[in-house]
């Protein structure tokens, strides 16, 4: 939700009265999810059956506004989030996947890439159907 503060009117003592108006993001963004299996022997296996990634995406430009994952390490979650946030899915996945391949060297690398590809597939299905 986005809050806008607007100057509304003057009150009886001459003070400017401000009102707050809420504008819903619902029509402007959509959340997409992707999933992939974790490799055996990871700590995350004890918490989750599969890796899940979610992205809140601006529909006009395809830009990822928020990104989350079920990775066990907060450090890794933030690292992947920093790569993903601000990227437009309309530009494809090559730049972000290359950055993940170069910068993340853990057991979950292939699961992260597979989950992001699944998310991208969900986005493209939605995007193509929305154009019809």
């Amino acid at each position: 939700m986005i809050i806008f503060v607007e100057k509304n009117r003057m009150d009886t003592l001459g003070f400017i009265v401000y009102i707050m108006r809420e504008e819903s993001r619902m029509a402007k963004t959509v959340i997409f999810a992707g999933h992939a299996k974790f490799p055996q022997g990871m700590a995350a296996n004890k918490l989750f059956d599969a890796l899940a990634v979610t992205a809140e995406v601006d529909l006009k430009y395809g830009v990822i506004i928020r990104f989350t994952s079920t990775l066990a390490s907060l450090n890794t979650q933030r690292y992947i989030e920093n790569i993903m946030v601000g990227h437009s899915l309309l530009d494809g996945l090559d730049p972000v996947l290359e950055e993940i391949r170069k910068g993340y060297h853990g057991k979950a690398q292939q699961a992260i890439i597979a989950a992001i590809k699944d998310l991208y597939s969900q986005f493209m299905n939605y995007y193509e159907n929305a154009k019809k």
Side-chain angles (χ1 to χ4, degrees):
M1 164 180 3
I2 300 172
I3 307 278
F4 292 95
V5 178
E6 301 175 338
K7 184 167 63 170
N8 189 24
R9 58 180 161 71
M10 301 277 260
D11 71 5
T12 55
L13 297 173
F15 292 100
I16 298 172
V17 176
Y18 290 88
I19 61 166
M20 292 175 62
R21 177 173 55 90
E22 296 179 5
E23 183 175 300
S24 172
R25 290 178 170 231
M26 291 191 328
K28 297 178 182 175
T29 64
V30 173
I31 294 184
F32 298 95
H35 301 87
K37 289 275 188 197
F38 281 117
Q40 293 297 322
M42 291 194 59
N45 279 339
K46 295 176 183 174
L47 300 171
F48 305 103
D49 291 331
L51 170 62
V53 296
T54 64
E56 181 180 1
V57 180
D58 170 81
L59 292 178
K60 185 172 183 179
Y61 300 106
V63 173
I64 297 172
I65 297 170
R66 288 193 186 93
F67 186 87
T68 62
S69 71
T70 58
L71 290 161
S73 163
L74 183 58
N75 191 39
T76 304
Q77 287 177 16
R78 288 181 178 158
Y79 183 80
I80 302 300
E81 177 186 9
N82 287 336
I83 291 171
M84 298 302 293
V85 170
H87 177 73
S88 173
L89 293 173
L90 296 176
D91 292 336
L93 288 180
D94 290 342
V96 294
L97 297 184
E98 185 62 27
E99 196 166 341
I100 291 167
R101 284 185 188 104
K102 286 181 179 178
Y104 176 75
H105 299 279
K107 284 185 178 182
Q109 185 189 71
Q110 289 306 312
I112 293 167
I113 290 170
I116 290 170
K117 286 180 176 180
D118 186 39
L119 180 146
Y120 178 73
S121 175
Q122 302 299 322
F123 169 77
M124 290 308 294
N125 285 339
Y126 180 91
Y127 185 75
E128 292 300 322
N129 287 329
K131 290 194 319 188
K132 293 178 184 179

